[in-house]
Amino acid sequence: VVQTFGRLDMAFNNAGIQPPPADAAEETADNFDRVVAVNLRGVWAAMKHELAVMRDQDSGGAIVNCSSLGGLVGGPKRSAYHSTKFGIIGMTRSAGIEYAARGVRINAVCPGTIDTPMVERMVAGGELDLDQVLASTPMARLGTGDEIASAVLWLCSDGASYVTGVALPVDGGYTA
């Protein structure tokens, strides 16, 4: 991007895998390490390199990290996944404070249950009860990728020029 356009104005860091549900005492170290490597370290690595560019630009930039509803609330048999998504929020808030004076805004979006291939696989495999999800979501439906993209675009836009360090739920009212 920098070679082609001379700068980096915005970035969306979206990395996430969902391991099968596991009792916290039964979670394997290999499984935990894999989830951390993709979900947390993947976002950290991207943000690190984006910040190296943005901090030296005259007008900074905007970074949005993808956390999850799982970064805002706990859930049984999901401790590995949720810990990475909570970590993304902590990293976002800390870096948001650190880079605010340099004109770089860093926020997170926290999608609820979104109609994606991963959710379809979880429902088909019995790892997620769709009726229960819909019953616990005030809007009583799954979100869409376009709805998450709209929130990310807003956080990257001048309309959010006074927003940094925020974890924005886009969850159909679940956390309300």
Side-chain angles (χ1 to χ4, degrees), residues 2-3 15 17-18 20 29 63 65 77 80 94 105 107 119 123 140-141 143 145-147 150 152 162 164 167:
V2 174
Q3 283 181 331
I17 57 172
Q18 175 78 269
I63 296 172
N65 295 321
K77 300 189 178 228
S94 295
R105 294 180 297 104
N107 293 290
V119 167
V123 170
R141 65 176 178 83
D146 286 345
E147 289 169 319
S150 292
V152 170
Y162 198 56
T164 196

Side-chain angles (χ1 to χ4, degrees), residues 5-175:
F5 299 105
R7 57 183 298 109
L8 177 63
D9 293 308
M10 63 186 75
F12 177 48
N13 300 318
N14 183 26
I17 57 172
Q18 175 78 269
D23 182 289
E26 304 299 323
E27 189 75 65
T28 67
D30 286 343
N31 191 50
F32 184 83
D33 290 345
R34 180 172 175 263
V35 174
V36 169
V38 173
N39 294 8
L40 185 57
R41 188 179 176 102
V43 170
W44 168 81
M47 190 173 73
K48 170 186 171 51
H49 294 287
E50 294 154 1
L51 287 171
V53 173
M54 290 180 178
R55 70 179 175 195
D56 297 327
Q57 296 178 157
D58 58 348
S59 61
I63 296 172
V64 178
N65 295 321
C66 193
S67 178
S68 169
L69 171 65
L72 299 170
V73 299
K77 300 189 178 228
R78 300 282 184 203
S79 63
Y81 177 81
H82 284 239
S83 65
T84 63
K85 296 303 184 172
F86 269 88
I88 289 169
I89 292 172
M91 181 172 56
T92 297
R93 288 179 174 161
S94 295
I97 292 166
E98 182 178 353
Y99 279 84
R102 296 180 187 187
V104 180
R105 294 180 297 104
I106 306 164
N107 293 290
V109 65
C110 300
T113 308
I114 306 301
D115 189 6
T116 63
M118 184 173 78
V119 167
E120 288 174 16
R121 283 191 303 274
M122 291 171 65
V123 170
E127 295 177 28
L128 185 65
D129 182 330
L130 185 57
D131 291 335
Q132 184 180 19
V133 168
L134 299 178
S136 62
T137 304
M139 289 188 169
R141 65 176 178 83
L142 298 179
T144 68
D146 286 345
E147 289 169 319
I148 303 308
S150 292
V152 170
L153 288 173
W154 177 74
L155 287 169
C156 288
S157 77
D158 289 341
S161 61
Y162 198 56
V163 178
T164 196
V166 165
L168 178 66
V170 184
D171 64 1
Y174 183 94
T175 55

